[in-house]
Amino acid sequence: GNGNFTLPLASRAREVLAALAALLLYLPSLGHGFVRDDVPLIVENALMRSPGGLWRLLSGDFLASTGFTSGLWRPLPLLSFWIEGRLGGWEPGLFHGTSVLLHAGSALLVGLLLAQAGIPRAPATLAALWFAAMPAHVEPAAWISGRTDLLCGFFALLCLCLDRRARQAGRAWPGWTAPAAFAAALLSKESAAGWAGVILLAEWVRSRTTSTGGSVGWRPSWR
């Protein structure tokens, strides 16, 4: 609970336990097939399977290649589908496997954030396990088309982890990795825009509770 992100992985039992729980819970989904929106989005999508259709796929509306208009731009999930289809022969197993790994990675990041916040081990472990097993995560973790939520959540949590680590190290700027993770979250699902407020709130809480430098002004916090 001291917030040190440089500890060996073996000492991060709560985070590893949550990630393993997520893996075990969703391993059965590896044997599932394509359902509902997966069919027009992946199986029957001519642009998805065309070697020359990648640019049109990524630059257009999220559902344009399926014959619908969503008004949304989510290129990162489409790119992940495009890559996995070519690596896995368009069989559903690899698609599901990627989703399971993303959910497990998010559970790991939640555990890291709880440790960074200084929450005692027992409640932090329970909270990370609850995140891994939360019923609301069944749809994005077990449904291939739910990849938008998984990618958005994973990169948003990664952004916050990197930002908090930089703050703990006394750096005013977290480097380019945190903004890159935030951009990836935005390119996965537009709801990531609200995450900027979460980061600002976390910085405000840190500035109120830090024992090393007193309060941090709003201007540097916004930066």
Side-chain angles (χ1 to χ4, degrees), residues 67-175:
F68 297 94
T69 300
S70 66
L72 304 172
W73 186 51
R74 300 172 176 176
L76 196 56
L78 293 175
L79 178 60
S80 70
F81 295 151
W82 189 87
I83 294 172
E84 289 156 30
R86 278 153 181 78
L87 293 177
W90 300 102
E91 295 297 322
L94 181 58
F95 292 90
H96 282 296
T98 302
S99 295
V100 171
L101 289 175
L102 282 170
H103 180 53
S106 294
L108 181 70
L109 290 172
V110 167
L112 286 172
L113 283 167
L114 292 171
Q116 183 274 338
I119 296 175
R121 180 171 297 275
T125 301
L126 289 175
L129 286 172
W130 173 239
F131 178 89
M134 190 180 296
H137 293 156
V138 171
E139 183 173 294
W143 181 33
I144 296 172
S145 293
R147 180 71 57 82
T148 56
D149 295 284
L150 290 176
L151 285 170
C152 178
F154 174 81
F155 284 113
L157 288 167
L158 178 61
C159 170
L160 185 57
C161 272
L162 293 170
D163 182 74
R164 295 298 86 201
R165 183 173 64 178
R167 293 291 181 267
Q168 284 191 324
R171 301 197 303 271
W173 171 247

Side-chain angles (χ1 to χ4, degrees), residues 44-56:
E44 298 176 353
N45 192 331
L47 284 181
M48 185 71 67
R49 293 171 177 263
S50 171
L54 181 60
W55 173 249
R56 289 178 58 194

Side-chain angles (χ1 to χ4, degrees), residues 164-195:
R164 295 298 86 201
R165 183 173 64 178
R167 293 291 181 267
Q168 284 191 324
R171 301 197 303 271
W173 171 247
W176 289 105
T177 51
F182 182 57
L186 284 170
L187 293 174
S188 301
K189 194 169 183 178
E190 57 287 340
S191 57
W195 202 248

